[in-house]
Amino acid sequence: MARVFSGVQPTGNLHLGNYLGAIRNFTRLQDDNECLYCVVDMHAVTVWQDPKVLKNNTREVTAAFLASGIDPKTHIVFNQSGVPQHAEIAWIFNCVARVGWLNRMTQFKEKAGKHRENASVGLYVYPNLMAADILAYKATHVPVGEDQKQHLELARDIAQKFNNDFGVEQFPIVEPLILDSAARVMSLRDGRKKMSKSGASDYSRLNLNDDADTIALKIRKARTDSEPVPDGSPESGDRVSRPEAFNLLEIYAALADQPISQIQNEFGGQQFSQFKEALVNLAVEKLGPIGAEMQRFGVDPKYIDSVLFDGVERARSIAEPIRDEVHEIMGFLRG
Ligand code: AQP
């Protein structure tokens, strides 16, 4: 049985990309693995968060985990800041990782943008904390969307360098689990940009708590081109020439759990207005129950908090002895 770790930031606006790229895969790994799913609140504060909003967003991500079918009794659902070993091991990784490695991280470049000098130091060393999140539990498998692949490669480099520097086999080499074609869901307004929580327009994403009318409106307004739905023939274009068209097809295929070729067989050659109506029905069918469950949990914050506190206790009991091993290896005196 492998140990699986993954996290989602409580930065609001949880969307279809977070669901298809990550959370849905979390649920699928539950039967055969020991899973830790974490609301990574310390990652969230690498950009400023309003404290009151952060609390609600932390509960909302937890509610999304539960509404999507994660079982917090068999597996561990918790918030990162409750387990201090993440920060402790991250500091050690700050001393293992090289500045040159972090300078290559594209997410930092994208998020810091032109104002690099004003970005927080936390945003810069974010991948070291992510490596600590995983390795504090010696987890080996990490389900993420494609955008996180580079950070996971860094986690592998850190584990390897730590092991080499100290001549030990302390940390395993983690495997990214990028499970399906929806590993990269794109914006509904611009098929070249990924769907993201921070996308300026709410019409760029389907939020997990959108109601049926909102889902329908956003899909009907989603950008397409003037051509019919691609049917798979070379003349009908590809992902590069028709990014918005293929994004909608991929979303449909992922929600239906079918290969994209089957969706093209069914809808290829139709007008997008027709295809969009089918997508509306499918998206409402799949996302509606999750949104409704999230709302049900939303009125019971005490229950959500109790899930997190229980998860924190159980996560600490795994991470503490691993932190102790690391301290011993490093030569830190322990009382
Ligand atoms: N568009 C996406 N397609 C597929 N997977 C995605 N993920 C995020 N966006 C997409 C996956 O969701 C998980 C949790 O993401 P996160 O909240 O920890 O961080 P993020 O990648 O920074 O999410 P966003 O939505 O893109 O937020 P902002 O706008 O703040 O940058 C991860 O596994 C991620 O791969």
Side-chain angles (χ1 to χ4, degrees), residues 96 101 104 152-162 173:
V96 172
W101 298 359
R104 287 197 285 275
L152 284 184
E153 278 157 13
L154 192 92
R156 290 163 70 98
D157 291 343
I158 289 175
Q160 241 152 6
K161 186 167 190 310
F162 183 95
I173 305 306

Side-chain angles (χ1 to χ4, degrees), residues 8 30 71 100 119 172 190 192 198 224 263 323:
V8 174
Q30 293 187 109
D71 173 3
D190 179 348
R192 289 182 183 86
S198 54
T224 47
I263 312 308
R323 184 273 324 268

Side-chain angles (χ1 to χ4, degrees), residues 6-23 26 40 43 47 61 107 110-111 126 130 142-149 182-187 193-199 205:
S6 197
V8 174
Q9 297 187 69
T11 38
N13 298 333
L14 267 186
H15 54 76
L16 182 71
N18 300 131
Y19 178 66
L20 292 176
I23 300 172
F26 297 179
V40 285
H43 282 292
V47 280
V61 174
Q107 185 170 293
E110 277 164 25
K111 290 203 170 174
Y126 178 118
M130 184 166 156
V142 185
V144 284
E146 213 165 65
D147 59 321
Q148 291 299 324
K149 212 170 150 189
R184 198 167 168 82
V185 178
M186 309 311 275
S187 158
K193 289 197 181 133
K194 81 166 186 162
M195 185 177 285
S196 105
K197 296 173 188 149
S198 54
R205 61 186 162 256

Side-chain angles (χ1 to χ4, degrees), residues 35-294:
C35 304
L36 293 115
Y37 293 131
C38 185
V39 187
V40 285
D41 46 8
M42 294 199 304
H43 282 292
V45 299
T46 55
V47 280
W48 192 82
Q49 305 292 326
D50 180 330
K52 280 199 206 79
V53 178
L54 181 65
K55 281 190 180 161
N56 286 337
N57 285 343
T58 299
R59 293 187 179 113
E60 188 184 63
V61 174
T62 312
F65 284 174
L66 304 183
S68 303
I70 291 168
D71 173 3
K73 295 251 180 307
T74 315
H75 301 281
I76 300 180
V77 172
F78 69 108
N79 59 316
Q80 187 184 27
S81 59
V83 183
Q85 287 74 26
H86 291 239
E88 292 178 65
I89 295 177
W91 176 256
I92 289 164
F93 288 171
N94 285 344
C95 305
V96 172
R98 307 288 91 183
V99 170
W101 298 359
L102 291 172
N103 283 344
R104 287 197 285 275
M105 295 297 112
T106 52
Q107 185 170 293
F108 176 75
K109 288 182 198 158
E110 277 164 25
K111 290 203 170 174
K114 292 194 190 105
H115 309 290
R116 212 181 139 101
E117 300 297 316
N118 282 335
S120 74
V121 177
L123 189 66
Y124 184 66
V125 293
Y126 178 118
N128 296 348
L129 177 59
M130 184 166 156
D133 297 337
I134 301 161
L135 296 171
Y137 305 95
K138 297 188 184 174
T140 48
H141 291 71
V142 185
V144 284
E146 213 165 65
D147 59 321
Q148 291 299 324
K149 212 170 150 189
Q150 194 185 33
H151 287 165
L152 284 184
E153 278 157 13
L154 192 92
R156 290 163 70 98
D157 291 343
I158 289 175
Q160 241 152 6
K161 186 167 190 310
F162 183 95
N163 289 349
N164 288 342
D165 283 356
F166 296 98
V168 290
E169 294 282 318
Q170 174 64 12
F171 291 121
I173 305 306
V174 296
E175 287 295 334
L177 290 175
I178 297 171
L179 288 180
D180 53 36
S181 62
R184 198 167 168 82
V185 178
M186 309 311 275
S187 158
L188 300 178
R189 308 301 299 160
D190 179 348
R192 289 182 183 86
K193 289 197 181 133
K194 81 166 186 162
M195 185 177 285
S196 105
K197 296 173 188 149
S198 54
S201 164
D202 202 46
Y203 285 95
S204 67
R205 61 186 162 256
L206 292 181
N207 295 323
L208 288 188
N209 55 8
D210 281 342
D211 61 24
D213 289 344
T214 311
I215 291 173
L217 187 65
K218 287 180 176 177
I219 292 177
R220 288 186 191 125
K221 276 182 173 285
R223 191 163 159 190
T224 47
D225 48 41
S226 52
E227 302 293 312
V229 176
D231 58 12
S233 66
E235 311 78 65
S236 70
D238 58 22
R239 282 178 179 75
V240 178
S241 60
R242 304 186 61 193
E244 284 87 15
F246 275 86
N247 187 37
L248 293 185
L249 276 173
E250 280 172 6
I251 290 174
Y252 191 105
L255 285 172
D257 246 331
Q258 285 170 353
I260 190 166
S261 55
Q262 197 162 322
I263 312 308
Q264 286 180 303
N265 284 344
E266 196 176 336
F267 296 100
Q270 287 185 12
Q271 290 309 306
F272 261 100
S273 52
Q274 267 175 293
F275 173 68
K276 281 181 172 178
E277 288 314 304
L279 182 55
V280 166
N281 291 336
L282 182 64
V284 169
E285 180 196 322
K286 298 286 179 181
L287 301 182
I290 297 173
E293 272 295 274
M294 283 174 69

